[in-house]
Amino acid sequence: MDEAVIPTTMKPAFGAALLALLLAGGAHAQPLQDPTRPPAAATPVAAGPQAVTSGPLLQSILIGRAAGGRHVAVIDGETVRQGESFRGAKVVRIGENEVELVRGRERQVLRLYAEAEGGIRGDHAATVTVRR
Protein backbone atom coordinates (compact mmCIF):
# COMPACT_ATOMS: atom_id res chain seq x y z
CA MET A 1 0.00 0.00 0.00
CA ASP A 2 1.29 3.48 -0.86
CA GLU A 3 1.89 6.19 1.70
CA ALA A 4 -0.66 8.99 1.96
CA VAL A 5 0.03 11.56 -0.70
CA ILE A 6 -1.18 15.15 -0.49
CA PRO A 7 -2.57 16.31 -3.80
CA THR A 8 -0.62 19.12 -5.43
CA THR A 9 -3.56 21.50 -5.24
CA MET A 10 -3.71 21.14 -1.43
CA LYS A 11 0.04 21.64 -0.72
CA PRO A 12 -0.13 25.48 -0.33
CA ALA A 13 -3.18 25.22 1.94
CA PHE A 14 -1.55 22.48 4.01
CA GLY A 15 1.64 24.57 4.43
CA ALA A 16 -0.35 27.62 5.49
CA ALA A 17 -2.36 25.60 8.02
CA LEU A 18 0.82 24.06 9.45
CA LEU A 19 2.44 27.50 9.77
CA ALA A 20 -0.67 28.88 11.52
CA LEU A 21 -0.59 26.01 14.04
CA LEU A 22 3.09 26.57 14.79
CA LEU A 23 2.60 30.29 15.33
CA ALA A 24 -0.50 29.81 17.49
CA GLY A 25 1.31 27.31 19.71
CA GLY A 26 3.97 29.86 20.66
CA ALA A 27 1.35 32.39 21.77
CA HIS A 28 0.30 30.16 24.69
CA ALA A 29 3.80 29.30 25.90
CA GLN A 30 4.73 30.17 29.48
CA PRO A 31 8.13 31.61 30.36
CA LEU A 32 10.59 29.10 31.82
CA GLN A 33 11.51 29.49 35.47
CA ASP A 34 15.18 29.54 36.46
CA PRO A 35 15.65 26.45 38.67
CA THR A 36 18.66 28.04 40.42
CA ARG A 37 16.85 31.24 41.41
CA PRO A 38 16.15 31.45 45.16
CA PRO A 39 12.49 31.56 46.20
CA ALA A 40 10.92 35.00 46.56
CA ALA A 41 10.70 34.56 50.35
CA ALA A 42 14.50 34.31 50.55
CA THR A 43 15.06 37.55 48.63
CA PRO A 44 15.39 40.57 50.94
CA VAL A 45 13.07 43.48 50.24
CA ALA A 46 14.05 47.01 51.17
CA ALA A 47 11.52 48.90 53.27
CA GLY A 48 12.33 52.16 51.51
CA PRO A 49 15.02 53.70 49.37
CA GLN A 50 18.34 51.87 49.59
CA ALA A 51 20.81 53.33 52.03
CA VAL A 52 23.91 54.64 50.32
CA THR A 53 27.03 53.59 52.17
CA SER A 54 29.74 56.20 52.02
CA GLY A 55 32.29 54.05 53.81
CA PRO A 56 33.97 50.75 53.09
CA LEU A 57 31.86 47.64 52.51
CA LEU A 58 32.51 44.51 54.56
CA GLN A 59 32.00 41.60 52.17
CA SER A 60 33.15 38.50 54.04
CA ILE A 61 34.65 37.20 57.28
CA LEU A 62 36.62 33.95 57.65
CA ILE A 63 37.43 32.62 61.12
CA GLY A 64 39.47 29.45 61.70
CA ARG A 65 37.82 26.77 63.84
CA ALA A 66 40.88 25.98 65.99
CA ALA A 67 41.59 28.10 69.06
CA GLY A 68 43.71 31.04 67.96
CA GLY A 69 42.78 30.32 64.33
CA ARG A 70 43.11 32.90 61.64
CA HIS A 71 40.72 35.83 61.40
CA VAL A 72 40.46 37.27 57.90
CA ALA A 73 38.06 39.85 56.48
CA VAL A 74 37.38 41.05 52.95
CA ILE A 75 36.65 44.78 52.80
CA ASP A 76 36.00 46.37 49.40
CA GLY A 77 37.66 43.36 47.75
CA GLU A 78 40.83 43.64 49.86
CA THR A 79 41.78 40.81 52.26
CA VAL A 80 42.93 42.02 55.69
CA ARG A 81 43.93 40.33 58.94
CA GLN A 82 43.62 41.56 62.50
CA GLY A 83 46.44 44.01 63.25
CA GLU A 84 46.93 45.02 59.60
CA SER A 85 45.93 48.33 58.15
CA PHE A 86 43.17 49.11 55.66
CA ARG A 87 43.27 52.50 53.91
CA GLY A 88 45.02 54.16 56.84
CA ALA A 89 42.88 52.52 59.54
CA LYS A 90 44.08 49.70 61.78
CA VAL A 91 42.00 46.49 61.89
CA VAL A 92 41.71 46.04 65.68
CA ARG A 93 39.04 43.34 65.85
CA ILE A 94 37.43 40.79 63.53
CA GLY A 95 34.28 39.22 64.96
CA GLU A 96 31.78 36.74 63.53
CA ASN A 97 29.59 39.50 62.06
CA GLU A 98 31.70 42.67 62.23
CA VAL A 99 35.12 44.27 61.85
CA GLU A 100 36.36 47.19 63.92
CA LEU A 101 38.68 49.77 62.35
CA VAL A 102 40.46 52.57 64.24
CA ARG A 103 41.88 55.67 62.61
CA GLY A 104 43.28 58.12 65.17
CA ARG A 105 40.43 58.87 67.59
CA GLU A 106 37.77 57.57 65.22
CA ARG A 107 36.41 54.04 65.58
CA GLN A 108 34.45 52.47 62.72
CA VAL A 109 32.51 49.20 62.93
CA LEU A 110 31.67 47.46 59.66
CA ARG A 111 28.89 44.87 59.86
CA LEU A 112 27.98 42.09 57.45
CA TYR A 113 24.25 42.52 58.09
CA ALA A 114 22.41 45.60 59.28
CA GLU A 115 20.28 44.86 62.33
CA ALA A 116 16.76 46.23 62.06
CA GLU A 117 13.39 45.76 63.66
CA GLY A 118 12.08 42.40 62.56
CA GLY A 119 15.45 41.09 61.33
CA ILE A 120 17.64 41.73 58.33
CA ARG A 121 16.54 44.28 55.75
CA GLY A 122 17.49 44.87 52.13
CA ASP A 123 20.78 46.63 52.85
CA HIS A 124 23.20 43.82 53.67
CA ALA A 125 26.09 45.88 54.95
CA ALA A 126 26.21 48.55 57.62
CA THR A 127 28.85 50.96 58.78
CA VAL A 128 28.79 52.48 62.24
CA THR A 129 31.23 55.29 62.99
CA VAL A 130 31.87 56.45 66.56
CA ARG A 131 34.11 59.41 67.35
CA ARG A 132 35.68 59.59 70.78
Side-chain angles (χ1 to χ4, degrees), residues 23-93:
L23 292 175
H28 299 292
Q30 295 179 354
L32 295 175
Q33 297 296 324
D34 181 3
T36 62
R37 184 176 183 174
T43 307
V45 178
Q50 289 286 338
V52 178
T53 58
S54 60
L57 177 66
L58 177 60
Q59 296 170 306
S60 179
I61 295 176
L62 303 168
I63 299 177
R65 290 185 182 192
R70 69 179 182 169
H71 286 63
V72 179
V74 179
I75 306 171
D76 286 344
E78 186 178 327
T79 303
V80 293
R81 297 181 191 282
Q82 192 165 319
E84 293 181 351
S85 118
F86 173 78
R87 296 185 186 165
K90 185 174 181 179
V91 179
V92 294
R93 184 176 57 84

Side-chain angles (χ1 to χ4, degrees):
M1 189 170 238
D2 291 343
E3 293 181 25
V5 178
I6 300 173
T8 336
T9 56
M10 291 188 65
K11 282 186 181 179
F14 179 74
L18 182 62
L19 182 62
L21 284 172
L22 290 174
L23 292 175
H28 299 292
Q30 295 179 354
L32 295 175
Q33 297 296 324
D34 181 3
T36 62
R37 184 176 183 174
T43 307
V45 178
Q50 289 286 338
V52 178
T53 58
S54 60
L57 177 66
L58 177 60
Q59 296 170 306
S60 179
I61 295 176
L62 303 168
I63 299 177
R65 290 185 182 192
R70 69 179 182 169
H71 286 63
V72 179
V74 179
I75 306 171
D76 286 344
E78 186 178 327
T79 303
V80 293
R81 297 181 191 282
Q82 192 165 319
E84 293 181 351
S85 118
F86 173 78
R87 296 185 186 165
K90 185 174 181 179
V91 179
V92 294
R93 184 176 57 84
I94 297 178
E96 289 183 19
N97 189 34
E98 61 189 27
V99 172
E100 184 177 348
L101 304 173
V102 173
R103 180 181 292 116
R105 296 179 56 137
E106 186 177 311
R107 180 179 81 97
Q108 187 175 28
V109 179
L110 307 177
R111 292 199 175 101
L112 280 177
Y113 299 103
E115 298 297 327
E117 290 181 65
I120 299 171
R121 299 218 316 199
D123 41 329
H124 295 296
T127 302
V128 177
T129 303
V130 178
R131 293 193 176 139
R132 295 181 195 178

